[in-house]
Amino acid sequence: GDSVTQMEGPVTLSEEAFLTINCTYTATGYPSLFWYVQYPGEGLQLLLKATKADDKGSNKGFEATYRKETTSFHLEKGSVQVSDSAVYFCALTTNQAGTALIFGKGTTLSVSS
Amino acid sequence: DAGVTQSPTHLIKTRGQQVTLRCSPKSGHDTVSWYQQALGQGPQFIFQYYEEEERQRGNFPDRFSGHQFPNYSSELNVNALLLGDSALYLCASSFRHTLVTGAQETQYFGPGTRLLVL
């Protein structure tokens, strides 16, 4: 079945470091891909999305490119801040799954000053 | 513009009891989805409501049921609570396109209801 695999955390970085969180997927059809972020004690916020191969989603300095050939959607940011500390979830939807989001297990990012 | 709201924020129940959680969608949205997020895990899809009917369901038992009202708000009911039902329950709203375009509507999440079953 459809699934999402994320790198396990926690990821611990110093402020201004480069961030990569790996995400790969297995899906039938042509999925749409998403990154959601969950700050402590809060619900999920959509960070960015891409709906077709080679699309790049970007928001708040974060970027991710939909790579069909490697079935990946890695999240990157050039310079992280303490306020980026949160849990990041990669997710997908496919026509077969309807509009249900299928999530990875999440990656915890901790940024120190 | 109010986002997705959920109530209550926290809830404590005992095994065997029943619980009802509530969700109001973002203004302009007509579709509500419910997810269960166990501690340290990603959210898992429970079901989705549109036009007051359950349109899609994940792998959850019949103890989980729901309802959508004419104003698009929704309830999630869980009967015969088990310890394993302890989780954060998230509601997400979206706007369903009337024509099937293949594009997936973006879902916006509420803050969740944290349920503890003792």
Side-chain angles (χ1 to χ4, degrees):
Chain A
D2 300 338
S3 65
V4 173
T5 302
Q6 290 181 236
M7 63 185 289
E8 290 193 17
V11 174
T12 303
L13 296 173
S14 299
E15 209 166 21
E16 298 183 4
F18 184 86
L19 168 71
T20 299
I21 299 178
N22 291 336
C23 170
T24 57
Y25 67 88
T26 300
T28 52
Y30 301 95
S32 294
L33 301 173
F34 305 81
W35 278 101
Y36 280 85
V37 58
Q38 188 172 37
Y39 297 101
E42 298 184 13
L44 296 170
Q45 297 178 24
L46 177 66
L47 184 58
L48 53 83
K49 68 176 183 180
T51 58
K52 61 183 188 296
D54 299 325
D55 268 1
K56 177 185 282 188
S58 62
N59 186 26
K60 299 181 181 179
F62 291 90
E63 293 183 341
T65 300
Y66 188 139
R67 301 285 189 200
K68 189 169 185 297
E69 62 276 11
T70 55
T71 62
S72 65
F73 192 55
H74 304 321
L75 182 67
E76 297 182 335
K77 187 176 185 183
S79 177
V80 294
Q81 305 300 312
V82 172
S83 58
D84 293 327
S85 298
V87 182
Y88 292 81
F89 291 94
C90 185
L92 66 81
T93 60
T94 67
N95 287 335
Q96 283 71 27
T99 56
L101 283 162
I102 297 169
F103 286 89
K105 291 187 176 181
T107 302
T108 299
L109 170 65
S110 178
V111 181
S112 58
S113 57
Chain B
D1 176 25
V4 180
T5 59
Q6 293 186 242
S7 63
T9 56
H10 295 80
L11 207 50
I12 299 175
K13 293 286 187 178
T14 56
R15 278 180 300 174
Q17 284 188 313
Q18 177 264 343
V19 68
T20 297
L21 310 181
R22 295 176 176 82
C23 171
S24 292
K26 184 178 168 64
S27 178
H29 285 183
D30 58 7
T31 301
V32 173
S33 303
W34 287 91
Y35 293 80
Q36 180 195 66
Q37 185 180 13
L39 199 61
Q41 301 295 315
Q44 294 214 323
F45 175 74
I46 303 175
F47 44 53
Q48 182 180 85
Y49 277 82
Y50 170 67
E51 290 186 333
E52 302 179 47
E53 289 190 16
E54 184 182 294
R55 299 291 179 170
Q56 192 180 356
R57 189 178 184 93
N59 189 24
F60 279 80
D62 292 345
R63 297 187 298 109
F64 289 78
S65 63
H67 189 76
Q68 186 179 33
F69 298 95
N71 67 352
Y72 308 120
S73 67
S74 175
E75 289 182 349
L76 164 65
N77 300 293
V78 187
N79 294 323
L81 283 167
L82 303 174
L83 296 180
D85 295 332
S86 295
L88 179 68
Y89 287 85
L90 295 165
C91 169
S93 74
S94 56
F95 175 66
R96 180 181 285 267
H97 300 290
T98 53
L99 297 177
V100 176
T101 63
Q104 300 293 341
E105 59 267 28
T106 299
Q107 296 183 33
Y108 294 85
F109 285 79
T113 294
R114 190 162 296 282
L115 172 65
L116 177 61
V117 182
L118 301 176

